[in-house]
Amino acid sequence: ATQKALSTSNPPTRSGSEYHKNHQQETLHSYATLLKVVLYIGLLFGALATNYTLVLMHLVLGRGDLDRCRKAAEILSAFCVYTAFMSFNGMTEALVYGVADQGTQLGMLGFVHGIVGVALFGVVAPLLVQTHGTVGLVFANMISMALRSLYSIYRAAEYFDESMVRLVKISLPHWSVLIAFAVAFGATRLSFLTIYNKEGAIQTFSLWIQTSAKHVGVGILCAIIIISLAIRSDIGVQRFMSLVRRGNKEKSE
């Protein structure tokens, strides 16, 4: 009903075409904001969580079989990065499915999925699995998600009558936050190598608790800095928080 009202009612001070253009821009910014939020979550997994999978494996599997824990941690770290690609692809494809008004558009999307699937899992995936094992299979899926996302962004740019470059630009986190993510990855990686992965650092249970607390503390500090910087400098994050507050206010009323 709301969508129908938006499409049929024009404010008296603006022409129908102007109202449609403004509405299209509002929809574009809302879409870009959702993509940005998904990217933030994915980058948190990719930049931070990848350096804490071994801690999780030691917590779940224990510290008895270190080789088994390390192999499982490598696969889980790859999945952390894959989660970012998968969630971004899901958000971009959701719009394509939502605005498709012809069977040929969905057919083209399916065709692209088929081509990507055959090329990757028929050629690339076997090679990656042969050289990197399970991690290689996860990498192949990442490439698949990335290619599918590119096509979906192309379709979204076409729908909004915008260039792909501008759509990607307004969907990316602020440049200062991207730098913060890179620095955070370096800091947590250094913490892993010099604190957690240091010889003898987890030899006893008490040492493991102390070492884990220090390492996790570095990650929490990095996450707090990134989130604070995003709230302060990224307009998209500020817009998202405003929408959340407005929605909560409407619910309470």
Side-chain angles (χ1 to χ4, degrees), residues 163-218:
S163 68
M164 287 183 64
V165 174
R166 181 173 183 271
L167 180 56
V168 171
K169 184 178 179 181
I170 63 177
S171 301
L172 286 175
H174 193 267
W175 63 267
S176 61
V177 184
L178 290 175
I179 293 176
F181 270 116
V183 173
F185 175 79
T188 53
R189 189 63 185 171
L190 183 63
S191 172
F192 172 76
L193 294 174
T194 60
I195 297 177
Y196 192 82
N197 205 38
K198 186 178 179 181
E199 186 177 355
I202 60 172
Q203 191 170 8
T204 64
F205 180 75
S206 60
L207 280 174
W208 176 69
I209 292 293
Q210 295 173 26
T211 303
S212 299
K214 292 177 183 178
H215 182 43
V216 171
V218 172

Side-chain angles (χ1 to χ4, degrees), residues 50-211:
T50 50
N51 291 316
Y52 291 88
T53 53
L54 187 58
V55 180
L56 179 61
M57 289 300 99
H58 286 158
L59 178 64
V60 174
L61 302 177
R63 292 170 292 112
D65 192 345
L66 295 180
D67 289 337
R68 180 187 176 195
C69 288
R70 289 186 185 280
K71 290 178 181 178
E74 288 178 0
I75 297 171
L76 187 57
S77 294
F79 265 105
C80 286
V81 181
Y82 171 67
T83 300
F85 283 87
M86 182 177 62
S87 57
F88 185 77
N89 175 71
M91 184 62 70
T92 56
E93 286 188 356
L95 178 74
V96 178
Y97 282 112
V99 302
D101 56 0
Q102 298 178 7
T104 53
Q105 294 178 350
L106 292 177
M108 180 59 69
L109 182 63
F111 175 75
V112 171
H113 289 181
I115 292 296
V116 170
V118 170
L120 278 173
F121 295 101
V123 180
V124 179
L127 296 175
L128 290 175
V129 170
Q130 187 176 5
T131 55
H132 296 89
T134 305
V135 174
L137 182 60
V138 179
F139 283 158
N141 277 279
M142 289 183 204
I143 298 172
S144 173
M145 294 295 106
L147 293 175
R148 287 170 55 170
S149 297
L150 280 175
Y151 177 75
S152 297
I153 291 173
Y154 163 75
R155 297 296 300 179
E158 188 179 62
Y159 173 76
F160 289 115
D161 196 22
E162 290 284 353
S163 68
M164 287 183 64
V165 174
R166 181 173 183 271
L167 180 56
V168 171
K169 184 178 179 181
I170 63 177
S171 301
L172 286 175
H174 193 267
W175 63 267
S176 61
V177 184
L178 290 175
I179 293 176
F181 270 116
V183 173
F185 175 79
T188 53
R189 189 63 185 171
L190 183 63
S191 172
F192 172 76
L193 294 174
T194 60
I195 297 177
Y196 192 82
N197 205 38
K198 186 178 179 181
E199 186 177 355
I202 60 172
Q203 191 170 8
T204 64
F205 180 75
S206 60
L207 280 174
W208 176 69
I209 292 293
Q210 295 173 26
T211 303

